[in-house]
Each structure stands twice: as C-alpha cells, then as structure tokens.
Amino acid sequence: KNQVEQSPQSLIILEGKNCTLQCNYTVSPFSNLRWYKQDTGRGPVSLTIMTFSENTKSNGRYTATLDADTKQSSLHITASQLSDSASYICVVSVGGTYKYIFGTGTRLKVLA
Amino acid sequence: EAGVTQFPSHSVIEKGQTVTLRCDPISGHDNLYWYRRVMGKEIKFLLHFVKESKQDESGMPNNRFLAERTGGTYSTLKVQPAELEDSGVYFCASSPLGGQGLYEQYFGPGTRLTVT
C-alpha cells in the first residue's frame, strides 16, 4: 500500500532556531518527492521537488534531503521566522501517473 | 496570473442535502484534480480530469459524488445526498499537460464542507 508517514506530528520552536522534519515513504513506483507548505486557510504551496537521482535541494532557508535507498526525506528549516508557522506536508508522486500520495503533515509553530 | 480559485470557501449543510463545489483552474492548465482532507487525516486524491475527460476517478468514495468539467475549463463536484462523513476540506489543483508528475500541481485554498 502506498503510504507516506511524517514526524513529528507537531513542533514548537523559538524564532531563530533550526528544525528538521522527517518523512518516510513506501510508494512504488517512485517518481518524485515534494515538500509543501500549507498556511492556515490556504492551499499547499510547493517548496522543493526531488527526483530519484537528487539527494538535496534548497529553497532559501529550506533544505530538503532524499535517501532513495532508505526511502526517507527530511526538510531542514534554518533560522526560523514567525512566518514559518504552518503545516509542512511531504508528498510523493506515483511513477507514470499524476497521482500524489500525501503525508499527514507536521504542524510547526514558531514563537517569538 | 490568477491562481486556482474555489467557491464557496465554506459550506454548512444538513445531512441529506445537496452541495456543489466549484473550482476554476489556472488558465491553460488542462489537468485538474480534486482532493479531500477529512479531520485528522491526510489529503487524499479523489479524481483527475484531463481537459473535460475523467482520467482517473479511483479515489471517489461512492456514487453520491459527481464531478464534471464541461468544456474543459472549470469543474464542479456535487455531493448528493450529503452524509456526516463527507465533512472535510475539499481541495482543487491544476497543472499543465505533460511531464507526468514532474509538473507542480497548484492548489486552491479549499472549500470547507460541514455536514450537520
């Protein structure tokens, strides 16, 4: 069964601190993995995309890693800001299709 | 360029009633997707249109749900009759044709459906 699991479920950090979110997946065939940010009341917005051959991708203060052998990914947020408060969702595309498999997300709260 | 829009933003209906959700994709995007997130669960795929044709409707929960995309532009998702378990947030997304899953799907803000 295609599945994406994320941890932790929620996280609270102080502004300026770093944090790392985890994603494990069992999706076959694998096409690519995206991290999405979802602000409250809005739709998800893509932060990064990685294909099978890529093991790291950065977007400003966001850095995603992918280990295709262990089927794990992480999203590292550097020097967090209040605006980083949101849900972060790991999404894996099923190869040969347009289908997305979503994780349940990590709810991040950044405190001043 | 306008993003994906959805209407209404929130709908509250009674069990047994009918509700129609609307999605306007980004202009020129032939792929249109419907997703749903029920309380505490992950977002799940419902169906995928390519232009006006249903490419994959394997995620539709039952025949109370009917999606249409006449003319290949906007899409509607009708729930008739609504049940309590249909409550959740319904997202629409769109993407350009081609590239399989490599093209980003752009999401709308969602419609929050509450069935009482």
Side-chain angles (χ1 to χ4, degrees):
Chain A
K1 180 184 175 184
N2 287 331
Q3 207 163 356
V4 177
E5 295 182 346
Q6 293 186 243
S7 62
Q9 193 171 29
S10 63
L11 184 62
I12 300 175
I13 62 174
L14 292 177
E15 187 178 15
K17 298 296 186 183
N18 304 334
C19 67
T20 300
L21 315 180
Q22 301 290 343
C23 172
N24 296 333
Y25 63 91
T26 52
V27 177
S28 182
F30 174 89
S31 174
N32 59 79
L33 184 148
R34 293 182 186 273
W35 282 92
Y36 273 84
K37 178 186 179 187
Q38 184 178 14
D39 293 307
T40 302
R42 294 179 176 257
V45 175
S46 180
L47 294 174
T48 62
I49 174 176
M50 288 177 291
T51 58
F52 187 87
S53 58
E54 297 174 297
N55 56 23
T56 187
K57 186 70 69 77
S58 290
N59 178 359
R61 295 180 296 102
Y62 301 102
T63 299
T65 65
L66 174 65
D67 185 332
D69 291 330
T70 61
K71 297 186 179 180
Q72 294 180 324
S73 176
S74 67
L75 179 69
H76 186 76
I77 304 175
T78 304
S80 61
Q81 300 176 357
L82 297 179
S83 58
D84 292 331
S85 295
S87 287
Y88 291 84
I89 306 172
C90 178
V91 182
V92 179
S93 290
V94 180
T97 76
Y98 290 90
K99 192 170 289 188
Y100 277 9
I101 308 297
F102 289 76
T104 52
T106 292
R107 186 175 298 233
L108 174 67
K109 189 164 183 65
V110 181
L111 300 178
Chain B
E1 179 183 280
V4 177
T5 58
Q6 293 186 244
F7 183 83
S9 58
H10 193 184
S11 180
V12 181
I13 61 172
E14 292 183 353
K15 176 182 172 181
Q17 289 186 323
T18 297
V19 64
T20 300
L21 314 180
R22 173 171 170 145
C23 167
D24 286 79
I26 292 173
S27 178
H29 282 190
D30 288 329
N31 287 309
L32 186 149
Y33 316 83
W34 282 99
Y35 294 90
R36 176 173 74 170
R37 182 173 199 163
V38 297
M39 182 73 74
K41 301 277 191 176
E42 71 275 20
I43 297 172
K44 285 193 174 177
F45 168 84
L46 294 178
L47 89 160
H48 168 212
F49 282 100
V50 177
K51 298 183 181 180
E52 68 277 5
S53 299
K54 292 175 187 174
Q55 185 76 13
D56 181 352
E57 51 185 330
S58 60
M60 295 287 264
N62 52 60
N63 58 11
R64 295 185 294 103
F65 289 75
L66 175 64
E68 295 180 322
R69 192 183 182 194
T70 307
T73 54
Y74 72 91
S75 174
T76 57
L77 180 65
K78 184 193 296 189
V79 185
Q80 179 183 29
E83 298 288 345
L84 297 178
E85 65 263 26
D86 300 333
S87 295
V89 182
Y90 290 76
F91 292 101
C92 175
S94 71
S95 70
L97 202 59
Q100 293 292 307
L102 289 178
Y103 285 153
E104 177 180 348
Q105 295 183 19
Y106 294 85
F107 285 79
T111 292
R112 180 174 295 276
L113 174 64
T114 303
V115 182
T116 62

